[in-house]
Amino acid sequence: MTRLFTESPKRIADITTQGIPLLAPVTPAGPPDPDDPWGSSHPAPPVDRTTLAWCTAVQMLADHHHTAVERQVLAADALLRELGVRGLAQLHSDLHLGAPIDYRFTRCPYCSGLGEDPTLPDCREVGCPPQYKFANHPHICPVCRGEDYQPEWFAAKRVADLDRWLATSFGQRPGWSPWCRRLAQRFRKRR
């Protein structure tokens, strides 16, 4: 938990001290388009650039594109206006060419692998049921959905499961056991 209190403010301070305006301007509403029934004539809400979500988004974009943070400001604004904090999971997947991210093996960019919401919201903000109001319960990270980042433990468990599955598959089908034995030997040699 101490990591949570030290990493999040440092990440926000690293981004906000670069001279970027701390509040994105409100984009004016465009004229209504009769050809676009789904178009919005409402102005886009302002984006607070001091939030952890915005700082995480702009840092992810800058790191991926190998550019300065100032060049990714408008992209981070658009992401948070359109998708909010949960858009960070979509951005993370998009930056990995659309592949799903397994947060057990990849550190979450928002909560740094802790699994809890780093902004420490209260139950009213999150919308918890009334019976949880007085219980001291954690709120899961909206990006990784509370996945437990422990790549060493999950990798060892996955190899053990694979060994067990290969061991039980011997002799189940005629002609497959030599292939399974060779495959199991290859996996054992890798460890």
Side-chain angles (χ1 to χ4, degrees), residues 31-39:
D33 185 8
D35 295 331
D36 186 11
W38 296 104

Side-chain angles (χ1 to χ4, degrees), residues 170 173-183:
F170 291 147
R173 294 184 183 169
W176 277 48
S177 58
W179 175 81
C180 290
R181 277 191 210 105
R182 285 193 310 267
L183 187 63

Side-chain angles (χ1 to χ4, degrees), residues 23-113:
L23 192 64
V26 177
T27 56
D33 185 8
D35 295 331
D36 186 11
W38 296 104
S40 174
S41 61
H42 299 288
V47 175
D48 183 9
R49 293 179 178 164
T50 61
T51 62
L52 181 62
W54 187 86
C55 292
T56 302
V58 77
Q59 190 65 54
M60 285 171 63
L61 288 164
D63 289 346
H64 179 74
H65 293 291
H66 305 291
T67 61
V69 169
E70 296 85 25
R71 296 189 56 136
Q72 302 301 329
V73 167
L74 297 177
D77 289 346
L79 174 78
L80 288 184
R81 275 190 184 121
E82 187 175 334
L83 300 174
V85 177
R86 291 197 176 116
L88 292 174
Q90 182 64 44
L91 174 65
H92 202 192
S93 175
D94 289 347
L95 293 179
H96 286 89
L97 304 175
I101 306 295
D102 190 353
Y103 288 108
R104 295 176 300 176
F105 297 98
T106 304
R107 189 179 300 274
C108 175
Y110 187 59
C111 70
S112 299

Side-chain angles (χ1 to χ4, degrees), residues 6-21:
T6 58
E7 285 185 16
S8 298
K10 182 182 178 309
R11 194 178 329 161
I12 292 170
D14 288 345
I15 301 298
T16 56
T17 57
Q18 295 188 14
I20 300 168

